[in-house]
Amino acid sequence: MPTKADPCSQPSLMHPDEAITLLLKQVSQLDESEVIPLSQGLGRVLAEDLASSIDLPPFNNSAMDGYAFRFEDLANNESLPLIGQSFAGHPFEGKAQPNTCVRIMTGAPLPEGYDTVQMQEKVEAKGDAIFIEAPKAKGANIRYRGEEVKTGGKVLMRGTQVGAAELGVLATIGASQIRVTRKVKVAFFSTGDELRPIGSDLAPGQIYDSNRYSIQGLLSRANVEWIDMGVIEDDPEAIRQAFRNASANADMVLTSGGVSVGDADYTKQILDEEGEITFWKLAIKPGKPFAFGKLGDAIFCGLPGNPVSSMVTFYKLVWPLLTKMQGLPQTKPLQLKAKLTGDLRKFPGRVEYQRGILSQNDNGEATVSITGGQGSGMLTSMSLANCFVILAQEQGDTPDGTLVTVEPFNSVLC
């Protein structure tokens, strides 16, 4: 883990990509798991590989509503007599007879002895005489036993996040329970005598505590277990106790504000006394101040205090850490090029994540416009946006019509 050496003393700012590489090396996947009912599995991460205990599909069945028959019988018969039917859950009883057919529904078992199905749109029924247009080949429209997965075959791997499709797969193989990685626990709080709860009156110099609600939303979307510790007064011992309580009950402690050089509160002092924390200056805008380290056995991440800076820094630095702690693979976010509508102002020196609205024009081209003012305190710029416009560290002003890099919001920010 980091020592108390201060990256802020370095003459240059650290590129955010370099920062996340260093940060990821200092966290590990949780090694605790639990068994839960499948019905509670949405969003959880599998802690073991899962193999099928049955063949999928478990029997030969029809891929279409239509008629089952022996392919060779079409060569010598104008029509085939109908001798029964096979429905899902109510299969045809008995074996196929030469020169006959049965009505069959999608998913219904293929009667033993039949080898082909023709869809009903290519069949004409005249009473029990069935006139069948020959398919191209024997075996048409049949799903064979085990063609998807054989018994013992791997269906889902450790580290897979369970979504709607995975729930269906697991139910298909009859898994009523699954072993998953324990949820990451994140404790968070705000500090500052200027912060007031929503619904109360504001005195001069006071503001509503909005960051805590944004952080709660981000953590909920990140699928972790969060512990909201509220607002902690600007008192050294109150802050110290909050850090101790948080680190004793969580895998990560997360705060916003109090980590900048100019902050005039006790947060940095208490962090230095209670943990092994480094304070970083990053070449990112909005953002720049960031704190990382350990408080007891918990990881600590300190976000900037400005609302947009807090969200962008969480997206760029904290979310990948939580992803790794959950046992999920690290994936590069989707980025694409879009034509800028309007001019952009930028000073070289930091990577900028400007908030944008990605859309498509009448010619099918991807275009992006900025949401308006890009100040780090303008939280509405995040509410209006659906993507970031990413401007390189040494990039300057960017004129209208330029192709720029955009990154659509991921599931945490949507």
Side-chain angles (χ1 to χ4, degrees):
M1 294 304 301
T3 65
K4 292 179 183 287
D6 189 354
C8 294
S9 63
Q10 299 175 5
S12 60
L13 302 179
M14 184 182 298
H15 192 283
D17 289 345
E18 180 185 357
I20 190 57
T21 298
L22 294 175
L23 292 170
L24 284 170
K25 291 179 180 179
Q26 300 179 73
V27 299
S28 303
Q29 176 185 347
L30 296 183
D31 57 6
E32 300 172 59
S33 64
E34 58 185 348
V35 176
I36 61 171
L38 179 61
S39 60
Q40 298 175 14
L42 187 65
R44 302 300 297 272
V45 180
L46 294 179
E48 61 185 4
D49 297 344
L50 285 180
S52 179
S53 60
I54 59 173
D55 290 336
L56 290 180
F59 47 81
N60 296 345
N61 68 88
S62 177
M64 298 282 182
D65 290 347
Y67 292 83
F69 52 92
R70 298 196 316 170
F71 184 75
E72 64 184 51
D73 290 343
L74 295 185
N76 302 314
N77 294 277
E78 182 180 355
S79 66
L80 298 175
L82 183 68
I83 63 169
Q85 60 188 18
S86 181
F87 289 175
H90 300 280
F92 175 76
E93 295 182 359
K95 295 183 178 180
Q97 301 175 25
N99 302 307
T100 64
C101 66
V102 299
R103 183 84 166 99
I104 194 166
M105 297 292 104
T106 302
L110 182 73
E112 185 180 351
Y114 291 131
D115 56 27
T116 306
V117 171
Q118 180 59 289
M119 67 181 70
Q120 61 187 17
E121 292 81 0
K122 295 185 177 182
V123 173
E124 182 180 359
K126 294 182 178 180
D128 288 339
I130 308 301
F131 296 81
I132 300 173
E133 179 183 325
K136 291 183 178 180
K138 177 181 177 180
N141 301 317
I142 293 176
R143 297 183 292 214
Y144 289 99
R145 175 175 178 167
E147 71 176 17
E148 183 177 359
V149 178
K150 297 286 188 183
T151 299
K154 295 287 179 64
V155 288
L156 293 173
M157 307 300 289
R158 181 175 184 267
T160 299
Q161 188 165 33
V162 178
E166 287 75 19
L167 284 175
V169 170
L170 292 166
T172 299
I173 64 172
S176 61
Q177 296 181 320
I178 53 175
R179 180 170 292 280
V180 296
T181 301
R182 175 179 65 77
K183 274 195 172 186
V184 177
K185 296 179 181 179
V186 181
F188 64 101
F189 58 85
S190 300
T191 61
D193 290 340
E194 79 280 7
L195 301 177
R196 297 292 296 160
I198 56 176
S200 61
D201 294 329
L202 294 178
Q206 293 181 333
I207 58 174
Y208 289 121
D209 178 24
S210 61
N211 276 14
R212 213 170 86 251
Y213 289 90
S214 294
I215 289 173
Q216 177 184 317
L218 291 167
L219 292 173
S220 296
R221 298 291 285 180
N223 203 39
V224 302
E225 181 179 330
W226 49 264
I227 306 169
D228 182 1
M229 299 181 62
V231 178
I232 308 301
E233 61 181 312
D234 271 336
D235 173 79
E237 291 311 308
I239 295 172
R240 186 187 310 277
Q241 193 58 48
F243 278 131
R244 289 179 178 177
N245 290 341
S247 61
N249 292 286
D251 305 297
M252 176 184 285
V253 179
L254 187 62
T255 63
S256 64
V259 296
S260 179
V261 172
D263 285 328
D265 60 27
Y266 303 105
T267 302
K268 290 181 68 175
Q269 172 192 330
I270 303 303
L271 284 172
D272 275 331
E273 294 172 0
E274 292 293 319
E276 298 177 3
I277 311 296
T278 57
F279 297 88
W280 307 50
K281 281 187 176 179
L282 305 178
I284 185 173
K285 185 178 180 180
K288 190 167 74 171
F290 180 73
F292 177 79
K294 290 207 73 173
L295 283 170
D297 293 328
I299 297 294
F300 174 78
C301 291
L303 306 177
N306 284 318
V308 181
S309 300
S310 179
M311 293 191 73
V312 171
T313 311
F314 180 98
Y315 160 81
K316 185 63 184 177
L317 301 175
V318 178
W319 183 65
L321 299 182
L322 292 174
T323 297
K324 182 174 181 179
M325 293 171 72
Q326 292 178 74
L328 291 167
Q330 293 294 314
T331 57
K332 290 186 177 180
L334 172 67
Q335 294 184 351
L336 52 92
K337 294 292 185 179
K339 184 179 292 186
L340 182 64
T341 59
D343 297 332
L344 282 185
R345 296 292 305 277
K346 180 185 182 296
F347 293 103
R350 286 194 278 172
V351 180
E352 288 199 13
Y353 285 75
Q354 297 204 13
R355 280 70 71 201
I357 301 172
L358 179 64
S359 59
Q360 193 175 59
N361 63 21
D362 293 338
N363 297 323
E365 299 172 313
T367 62
V368 65
S369 59
I370 298 304
T371 58
Q374 296 291 297
S376 59
M378 297 181 176
L379 197 51
T380 52
S381 69
M382 288 293 296
S383 175
L384 296 170
N386 63 7
C387 71
F388 288 118
V389 179
I390 303 178
L391 305 174
Q393 187 169 357
E394 298 309 317
Q395 187 171 339
D397 292 344
T398 306
D400 176 50
T402 302
L403 282 178
V404 293
T405 299
V406 298
E407 189 171 304
F409 283 171
N410 60 22
S411 58
V412 171
L413 292 174
C414 287

